[in-house]
Amino acid sequence: MPRSHRRRPAPVHVPTAEMNVLDVLHALSDPTRMTITRTLHADPERACGTFPVEVAPSTLSHHFRVLREAGVIHQREDGNRRLTTLRQADLEERFPGLLAAILDAYERQAAGDG
């Protein structure tokens, strides 16, 4: 089958009720994944190749997989693009205040205040 007709498997997303706090904390422990998360917090939906990170495409795919499997992001196909959103409402439902606290702590640390 020609490459242009192959379909990628749809990304698998963890249900909100099955999110694990340790998986979320692990996913957010990496600076590249925090950049992805912060970017999505400011800009609700982005195509995969538009994030301000300097890593190889295969490495970026790995980071997206870790975030997706932890329940931090949702990805959907749109033609030949994969669009990514932050599962902020799901994270808030499952772990109230966690994402906001992590983002705030990360910003304070980046600013040298914490």
Side-chain angles (χ1 to χ4, degrees), residues 21-87:
V21 70
L22 295 179
D23 292 340
V24 172
L25 292 173
H26 168 73
L28 297 176
S29 69
D30 180 88
T32 298
R33 294 192 290 267
M34 274 304 297
T35 298
I36 293 167
T37 303
R38 290 173 57 223
T39 301
L40 290 170
H41 189 255
D43 185 12
E45 185 172 61
R46 292 184 75 115
C48 289
T50 65
F51 287 86
V53 295
E54 295 185 22
V55 296
S58 60
T59 302
L60 186 58
S61 292
H62 164 76
H63 288 302
F64 284 135
R65 183 179 53 79
V66 171
L67 288 166
R68 190 178 60 247
E69 290 177 355
V72 176
I73 64 171
H74 181 272
Q75 293 184 303
R76 67 180 179 88
E77 301 294 328
D78 181 36
N80 63 351
R81 302 182 313 166
R82 185 171 277 183
L83 298 174
T84 305
T85 57
L86 184 62
R87 292 180 62 182

Side-chain angles (χ1 to χ4, degrees), residues 6 24 31 84 88 91 94:
R6 289 184 191 164
V24 172
T84 305
Q88 190 165 348
L91 288 164
R94 182 79 167 124

